[in-house]
Amino acid sequence: MAKATDVWSDLVLVFWFACLLPLGPARVAAGLYNLSLTADGPATVGTEVTISASLEVKDNGSLPLPADTHLYRFHWIHTPLTLTAKSEKNLTSTIHVVGGVPGDFPVSVWVTAVDCWVCQPLARSTLLLPIKGPTTLLITDNPVVYYNYSSPGTFIVKVRVVAEWEQIKPDTTKGIIQKTGDFSASLDLRESLQGIQILGPTLLQTFQKLTMNLNFFGSPPLHVCWGLKPQCLPLEDRECHAVLVTRTSFNLTHVFQDPGDYCFIFRAENAISKAHQYHRIQVWPSSFQPFVFAFPCATLITVLLVFLMYMTVRSAATQKDVVESPGATGLKCCCQVCCGSLFLDSPSEYLEIVRENHGLLPPLYKPVKTYNV
């Protein structure tokens, strides 16, 4: 019984070493190789694309590659692209795929030992494959061709011109001569400006910040001109605030200081067309006055209150009898008459000066004469 147990233990140990044996070269070689990916793109929908992965040594050949190329396996992930063919030769694996829809699709590949699926990869790499919409093939003998694009963007136009003519050969026989020329050009197609959408309030108060959002239905860049008038009328060049917009949206802020009816006028254009739009707005007086207007009023009221308090205190003070010389009195009277009551000691003193200069005023009622008989 003990002998059977020892045999079973030896079998387990041998099986364990057999499993670990493939891991040795893979772990040692991990990080020493590069996996180079190439594609014959860019591709279009429905056309076949060839992608190749080659296993290379990092240190320029100091580490020898194995002579038996069947020791390694290439693992590909290419969904949602459809695989049409696959081949391997001299540590290079090549696949052929077809895309059904346009877009950018990642393609990944890694290399492991052929008999070890769970070993650490020797190398891995990823490629982003762009697939564009179909290109239209036209065959015609007319030198002028028309084609309408359904969406804006940058497109490559390729033209192949085939010329044929009949020529007499030296042996007096006729032959057909053919020459072919390939030409290409890049087209940057923009969408016409179809309209302007304005998002913003139509009623607000003075000194309130107005924010409007403009959306342009067309391809940028756009030359935008805006102005403000009491009525919705076209803008003249001198009334235009020019702005260059490089996107399809634009934000505008404004603060109204006076109430009234206003109209924002917008004009935009790109390389193809123009568009106009209007936005009416009513501005009502705000319920509070700005501080810049309230401060002078408060200052004036404060000065008046201080002056009234000063005059009240001066009037309530005890007046002193001052003996003045005739010359000094005349000078003071002249100054007080010319300058007013601002420099007088009290209102009663002002009345006294007036009586001295103008004499006694006649009584309002004449006395009744009496006679003794």
Side-chain angles (χ1 to χ4, degrees):
M1 183 68 180
K3 187 176 181 179
T5 305
D6 294 339
V7 173
W8 176 251
S9 301
D10 294 339
L11 290 176
V12 171
L13 185 61
V14 171
F15 179 75
W16 177 256
F17 278 110
C19 292
L20 292 180
L21 186 60
L23 298 179
R27 288 184 176 179
V28 173
L32 300 179
Y33 297 95
N34 281 334
L35 197 57
S36 176
L37 275 177
T38 58
D40 62 348
T44 56
V45 174
T47 61
E48 189 178 72
V49 183
T50 302
I51 305 176
S52 298
S54 299
L55 187 63
E56 302 171 350
V57 181
K58 280 187 177 181
D59 55 356
N60 298 326
S62 62
L63 180 67
L65 288 173
D68 189 1
T69 59
H70 299 287
L71 293 177
Y72 300 100
R73 183 186 301 275
F74 290 81
H75 308 272
W76 291 87
I77 295 181
H78 49 76
T79 55
L81 303 177
T82 303
L83 181 66
T84 58
K86 180 180 179 181
S87 62
E88 294 184 5
K89 182 180 180 181
N90 297 332
L91 295 179
T92 300
S93 178
T94 303
I95 62 173
H96 302 271
V97 293
V98 176
V101 293
D104 296 332
F105 301 95
V107 178
S108 301
V109 60
W110 66 93
V111 179
T112 62
V114 70
D115 54 352
C116 183
W117 285 75
V118 295
C119 295
Q120 184 178 0
L122 296 177
R124 64 173 68 243
S125 184
T126 302
L127 173 70
L128 190 64
L129 180 65
I131 296 182
K132 299 183 178 180
T135 58
T136 303
L137 179 63
L138 298 177
I139 301 177
T140 179
D141 56 358
N142 193 333
V144 180
V145 178
Y146 296 94
Y147 180 78
N148 294 326
Y149 288 87
S150 59
S151 61
T154 301
F155 301 90
I156 303 297
V157 178
K158 298 181 180 180
V159 179
R160 170 169 291 183
V161 179
V162 180
E164 294 181 353
W165 66 92
E166 189 178 71
Q167 187 176 8
I168 300 177
K169 296 180 180 181
D171 57 355
T172 68
T173 61
K174 294 182 179 180
I176 301 297
I177 305 298
Q178 185 183 85
K179 286 190 175 182
T180 303
D182 293 326
F183 309 91
S184 64
S186 177
L187 297 181
D188 186 13
L189 301 182
R190 300 178 183 177
E191 188 178 7
S192 62
L193 188 59
Q194 301 177 2
I196 305 174
Q197 181 188 35
I198 302 177
L199 302 177
T202 58
L203 181 65
L204 77 161
Q205 295 180 347
T206 55
F207 303 101
Q208 181 181 356
K209 185 178 180 180
L210 168 68
T211 301
M212 292 188 299
N213 178 260
L214 282 74
N215 296 319
F216 303 96
F217 300 102
S219 298
L222 301 168
H223 295 278
V224 179
C225 171
W226 71 273
L228 190 62
K229 284 187 174 185
Q231 297 178 352
C232 294
L233 298 175
L235 289 175
E236 299 180 3
D237 293 338
R238 59 182 178 85
E239 301 172 331
C240 177
H241 301 276
V243 180
L244 179 61
V245 179
T246 58
R247 300 182 301 175
T248 57
S249 63
F250 174 70
N251 290 333
L252 177 65
T253 59
H254 188 75
V255 176
F256 291 92
Q257 297 184 358
D258 299 321
D261 294 335
Y262 297 91
C263 181
F264 279 97
I265 303 100
F266 295 95
R267 183 180 67 203
E269 61 179 315
N270 59 7
I272 303 175
S273 60
K274 300 180 180 180
H276 296 79
Q277 189 60 275
Y278 303 96
H279 183 75
R280 293 181 179 272
I281 188 168
Q282 291 183 344
V283 181
W284 293 86
S286 60
S287 57
F288 63 93
Q289 295 295 332
F291 179 75
V292 67
F293 297 104
F295 180 76
C297 296
T299 303
L300 180 60
I301 293 174
T302 303
V303 172
L304 291 177
L305 290 176
V306 172
F307 178 75
L308 292 177
M309 292 175 63
Y310 171 77
M311 293 300 297
T312 303
V313 172
R314 290 297 301 270
S315 299
T318 305
Q319 299 181 4
K320 297 181 179 180
D321 296 333
V322 180
V323 180
E324 300 177 350
S325 61
T329 304
L331 180 61
K332 184 177 181 179
C333 293
C334 179
C335 180
Q336 290 173 342
V337 171
C338 297
C339 299
S341 61
L342 183 60
F343 303 99
L344 296 180
D345 294 337
S346 64
S348 59
E349 186 178 357
Y350 171 75
L351 295 177
E352 183 66 23
I353 295 301
V354 172
R355 282 194 294 266
E356 292 179 1
N357 291 323
H358 296 281
L360 297 177
L361 295 177
L364 297 178
Y365 302 96
K366 294 184 179 180
V368 179
K369 295 182 180 182
T370 57
Y371 299 92
N372 294 326
V373 180

